[in-house]
Amino acid sequence: MTTPGDSAAEIWPLWEVFVRSNRGLSHVHVGSLHAPDETLAVRNARDLYTRRSEGVSVWVVPAAAITTSDPDAKGAFFESPAGKNYRHASYYSKSEGVKHL
Amino acid sequence: MTSTITPDTSATVAISVEEQQFNDLIEADSRIEPRDWMPEGYRKSLVRQISQHAHSEIIGMQPESNWITRAPSLKRKAILMAKVQDEAGHGLYLYSAAQTLGATRDDMTDALIAGKARYSSIFNYPTPTWADMGSIGWLVDGAAICNQVPLCRASYGPYGRAMVRICKEESFHQRQGFEILLELMAGTEEQREMAQDSVNRWYWPALMMFGPPDDDSPNSAQSMAWKIKRHSNDDLRQRFVNMLVPQAAVLGVTLPDPDLHFNEVTQQWDLGEIDWTEFHEVLAGRGPNNAQRLQRRRDAHEEGQWVREAAAAYARKQYALTTTLEMAAS
Amino acid sequence: MSERINSDADSHADSHADDHGHADDHGHVDDHGHVAVDVTTLDAELIEGPSVATADVAEYALWLGDDSLILAQQLGAWISRAPELEEDVALGNVALDLIGHARSLLHYAGTASNRTEDDLAYWRTEPDFRSLHIVEQPNGDFAHTIARQFIVAHYLFELYSRLRASADATLAAIAAKAVKEVDYHRDHSTQWVLRLAHGTDESRRRMITALSDLWPYVDEVFRDNPLIDRLEGIAVRPSTLRSAFDAAIAPVLAEAELEIARGFVASGGGRTGTHSEHLAFLLAEMQVLTRAHPGASW
Ligand SMILES: [Fe+2]
Ligand SMILES: [Fe+2]
């Protein structure tokens, strides 16, 4: 399932924009824009989403190229982690108070 | 708050699992995201509200851009340019949010220039003087911010996120307008008159930006139940006036409402009667600049058509070229 | 080189727009529509040096400042009229960069005669302006604006690259900031030259027309002037930029399959106050309000 918003009917396709706000941080989705191709998309992203020094790097991805999980299958898709408490450090209560653990 | 109004579920018919999930998310103050199931009415309300909001940002560029080339100092020119440019960005963020609901920007633009879509009536007023740049920032952006800050918590995720971004950028808009007026009020007699005259013209239309009174606002109750909207029109208007009164005192301007007075019981500023006939006239297309605003948007769009087509054609050619090269290489 | 922090305008102040009422490191917003603003460190708005410009240096700063000012004024007229919203924002950014350069340069020019940037922008008449004819050429259609940008941005990039080594510290500092910004303008216009040239038949026709309409004003850009002789080591000799300019635009024109029209060469004269017919109208509009209120501040 692709991400919502893309439409083949539009003259310029939709792009999703991700900005890295600082070195050491991940790129985070900030919004979208229209552009005829990837060269202008990345420039439009710079002009639109980093006017106030919000970023040091931008990614643009055609909205049509993003695959998302199916929200209708939400239950089945994201159920498994529930109950697997042993994946979390807080599960191991007996070691509480022991230093450097 | 407003949870006394129930969402539009029919009490007699058992509701579907999806609808129950939707209602639960709204009830829990969580967010609805693009691929979630949502009632058709919710989707339609959102598309209507978000696209109207986007159109307002875009049409709203015009009354101010009129003064970019005539700004009275280079500093003011730069500020105004940055401000109007921000509004283009706001329109763009909002069109994107509406687009996640299946409306395309091209369609929304077509509806706008065909005169089929609404936008905020305030932008159909003219800007005959420089002081209007001050009044728009102080009163119009001020009212917009009042409306918009609660929308950062709108139940539809992409709308709320767009509003967060917009509100961050708006923070300088109201201040720069206020400072334009402050400078004028500290200036020559002519400048002070210019400022007061402008406040006189923009004050009431700015109050009307919050929409009709609550008992005359057909879509409000449902929007509040769905948590698209968080406060009533009258509520927000009252808060705005409460903020304006002390600010007007700092400026030294008079708010053009002879009935405005402080109510000791409610600890609020009671305002005089709003003339809604004017509001409905402008809304019905009989304001001073409705035709001109749409014409200019139409011109920009139509004159840009060959550019948009050129870039699209170039992209197709480049794509075809790279695919051919890749095929040749393999 | 000292830089003054001018924090009263163009605030980069940031606010946190979320009305849950909690505070975080961005400040906070309460539920009453009040947007709290916190203090962000602001960069210098103008680049200023410790020195006062000599009459010759001031004249040179005026040349460069007027070019940026007139071009910014023209580009400002595009906002709300661009072919697409993304381009409104892009052209706005270019105009804002140029107005920043103009303000620093005019401010510096003004130090020689105790005048402010606004005295120079608003209270000089046409013969006292020093702009080149190419920046005075009207916006035309989008292709004309792009052709003008393509030529001017490439020239400015070569100019500021060299001016960074100026013996005048203020000019060098202004150039060091400006060169990065005009580098982007160069790229922006190049992208559009390619797209218009290879887009549709109509866009190609318009791009060819635009380039040939603007080309007569290119020679003036690289013409020397006695002032340059007096500013050896401080100013950049325009004629020495020509080969770098030609070399930079050649591959773009080749890829775009555009040829330079060899025809008219305008006699120019902007540097000595002889201007195109467009400038007077532009100045009338730019200065109208300020001149109606002598002595007022805004
Ligand atoms: Fe806005
Ligand atoms: Fe605004």
Side-chain angles (χ1 to χ4, degrees), chain C residues 87-142:
Chain C
E87 203 49 36
D88 273 305
V89 179
L91 289 170
N93 281 343
V94 174
L96 284 167
D97 287 343
L98 290 167
I99 215 166
H101 308 164
R103 291 183 61 196
S104 292
L105 287 161
L106 294 183
H107 173 84
Y108 188 40
T111 59
S113 52
N114 232 333
R115 285 182 289 177
T116 66
E117 56 181 83
D118 289 332
D119 290 339
L120 290 171
Y122 292 93
W123 294 95
R124 280 180 299 156
T125 52
E126 187 189 327
D128 291 333
F129 272 81
R130 291 290 174 265
S131 45
L132 295 165
H133 285 215
I134 189 147
V135 298
E136 298 169 8
Q137 298 309 303
N139 284 341
D141 65 3
F142 188 67

Side-chain angles (χ1 to χ4, degrees), chain B residues 71-268:
Chain B
S73 75
L74 297 186
K75 182 175 104 176
R76 291 284 169 216
K77 191 188 288 289
I79 294 171
L80 188 61
M81 225 188 261
K83 199 250 179 198
V84 178
Q85 183 201 39
D86 270 357
E87 308 298 4
H90 298 172
L92 211 155
Y93 305 151
L94 288 162
Y95 283 130
S96 298
Q99 193 139 13
T100 63
L101 293 160
T104 68
R105 193 202 291 180
D106 285 354
D107 287 344
M108 290 183 273
T109 304
D110 287 345
L112 174 66
I113 61 181
K116 289 187 206 142
R118 284 203 171 155
Y119 57 86
S120 184
S121 285
I122 193 93
F123 301 115
N124 288 322
Y125 289 89
T127 48
T129 73
W130 170 254
D132 296 332
M133 301 303 99
S135 296
I136 289 184
W138 179 43
L139 297 170
V140 177
D141 286 273
I145 292 167
C146 244
N147 260 329
Q148 288 171 356
V149 168
L151 290 176
C152 295
R153 287 166 56 212
S155 61
Y156 186 59
Y159 191 27
R161 290 191 288 274
M163 291 316 305
V164 167
R165 195 165 190 92
I166 288 172
C167 287
K168 282 185 181 183
E169 298 190 356
E170 284 289 344
S171 63
F172 98 82
H173 294 186
Q174 194 182 16
R175 283 184 168 209
Q176 63 85 36
F178 185 84
E179 289 187 13
I180 286 174
L181 292 175
L182 202 59
E183 193 85 48
L184 292 175
M185 290 305 290
T188 64
E189 187 56 37
E190 265 181 307
Q191 285 179 304
R192 278 197 297 279
E193 273 169 25
M194 195 193 280
Q196 182 62 58
D197 162 72
S198 172
V199 169
N200 292 350
R201 283 182 288 109
W202 289 96
Y203 175 75
W204 289 110
L207 295 193
M208 294 180 207
M209 284 174 71
F210 295 96
D214 294 344
D215 42 23
D216 188 26
S217 180
N219 298 320
S220 277
Q222 181 62 69
S223 284
M224 285 171 72
W226 276 332
K227 296 183 182 169
I228 297 174
K229 206 174 153 162
R230 297 270 177 169
H231 306 282
S232 80
N233 296 351
D234 287 332
D235 210 17
L236 287 170
R237 185 163 22 239
Q238 181 65 59
R239 287 172 181 192
F240 183 54
V241 174
N242 290 346
M243 287 188 281
L244 283 188
V245 174
Q247 291 169 359
V250 174
L251 286 174
V253 295
T254 311
L255 297 176
D257 177 1
D259 296 328
L260 187 68
H261 67 276
F262 191 70
N263 182 327
E264 290 293 344
V265 182
T266 60
Q267 294 288 303
Q268 315 242 42

